[in-house]
Amino acid sequence: MIVVHHLNNSRSQRILWLLEELELPYEIRRYQRQATMLAPEALKKVHPLGKAPVISDGDRVVAESGAILEYLAERYDSQQLLTPQTEEEKLQSRYWLHYAEGSLMPLVVMRLIFSRMGKPPVPWLLRPVGAAFGNGVRKGFIDKQLATHRQFIEQHLTGHPWFAGQRLTLADFQMSFPIQGLAARGGLDNMPATQAWLDNIMRRPAWQRAIQQGGELNLAAE
């Protein structure tokens, strides 16, 4: 039995979606974030880094979103439902699978961190200074970088219904979390193709079942 060690409000939602798309049986073990937004220490009993997502499949433990997605697809997608059909689709799927965490998510996370510099657990005396510094970094660097990435993503999806091309692939699972993060903070304004892509995945029965199993994502909290 596949066990998903599921942290609320986390990337592990991608894994639940994939499992539902492949109609695989699985068990969820739930973990709640601490007040600091970090994962609880209990996750370190599963994997030394103590982060989600992580799955166990028999005696095998697999961590990192991309690695888990690839593992599950290679091992269990016997009908190749998510396999790119052309060489170009293979290249696109691989690119976006790595782009999501290598290029886009660091900016999304940085924006969240600098947005919280004027809030607890920052000591109250330092919050005004923290807020001013955080806002300065956001406006001077992070938001400008994110604008470039939003334009890049929108241009791509204007010509493709899915990230790899004409069919759903692992790239779409991997990109779902950062794009939801952008959408939660108004980052999809003037991005109709990207919004249409997000609407399409959220209408999928497997996506809806994954939300029912894992809980709604609240990525707007800052």
Side-chain angles (χ1 to χ4, degrees):
M1 173 69 74
I2 297 168
V3 177
V4 181
H5 299 273
H6 177 60
L7 181 66
N8 66 305
N9 248 15
S10 78
R11 294 164 169 86
S12 57
Q13 190 66 38
R14 296 160 162 162
I15 312 306
L16 299 179
W17 176 27
L18 177 60
L19 290 166
E20 290 291 345
E21 287 283 353
L22 297 178
E23 298 183 344
L24 296 174
Y26 63 92
E27 174 188 338
I28 298 179
R29 293 184 187 167
R30 303 178 188 278
Y31 303 80
Q32 291 294 315
R33 293 183 182 276
Q34 303 176 82
T36 59
M37 298 304 292
L38 296 176
E41 288 292 311
L43 260 176
K44 288 186 177 180
K45 296 179 181 179
V46 183
H47 188 276
L49 294 181
K51 295 183 179 181
V54 59
I55 68 167
S56 52
D57 186 11
D59 293 332
R60 181 175 288 117
V61 174
V62 186
E64 295 293 342
S65 296
I68 296 170
L69 294 175
E70 289 185 307
Y71 169 79
L72 291 173
E74 290 171 4
R75 186 173 177 87
Y76 294 108
D77 186 12
S78 57
Q79 297 182 353
Q80 297 189 329
L81 300 174
L82 305 173
T83 301
Q85 298 300 294
T86 67
E87 188 65 25
E88 179 61 23
E89 287 181 346
K90 291 177 183 177
L91 290 172
Q92 288 292 337
S93 181
R94 182 178 295 118
Y95 173 76
W96 293 103
L97 184 69
H98 290 279
Y99 165 86
E101 291 293 331
S103 295
L104 185 55
M105 270 306 295
L107 289 170
V108 175
V109 172
M110 285 173 62
R111 191 180 192 281
L112 174 61
I113 291 172
F114 281 99
S115 295
R116 295 182 62 86
M117 291 192 70
K119 302 176 182 180
V122 175
W124 69 272
L125 283 174
L126 299 179
R127 289 175 196 170
V129 175
F133 176 72
N135 288 335
V137 174
R138 283 173 53 195
K139 293 177 181 178
F141 173 71
I142 299 173
D143 287 350
K144 291 180 180 179
Q145 291 292 313
L146 281 173
T148 298
H149 284 267
R150 285 196 298 268
Q151 182 180 26
F152 175 58
I153 293 167
E154 177 68 12
Q155 287 178 343
H156 179 75
L157 288 176
T158 296
H160 307 85
W162 302 103
F163 273 99
Q166 298 303 310
R167 63 184 295 173
L168 181 73
T169 67
L170 296 183
D172 299 289
F173 291 83
Q174 189 76 331
M175 286 294 294
S176 64
F177 190 79
I179 288 185
Q180 279 190 288
L182 291 177
R185 299 172 181 87
L188 298 190
D189 293 344
N190 301 315
M191 296 179 69
T194 307
Q195 185 65 61
W197 171 87
L198 183 58
D199 291 342
N200 283 339
I201 69 169
M202 294 179 72
R203 282 194 293 265
R204 297 182 71 85
W207 172 273
Q208 294 170 14
R209 292 195 301 270
I211 291 295
Q212 290 174 355
Q213 293 294 326
E216 292 285 347
L217 292 174
N218 179 18
L219 303 180
E222 292 188 350

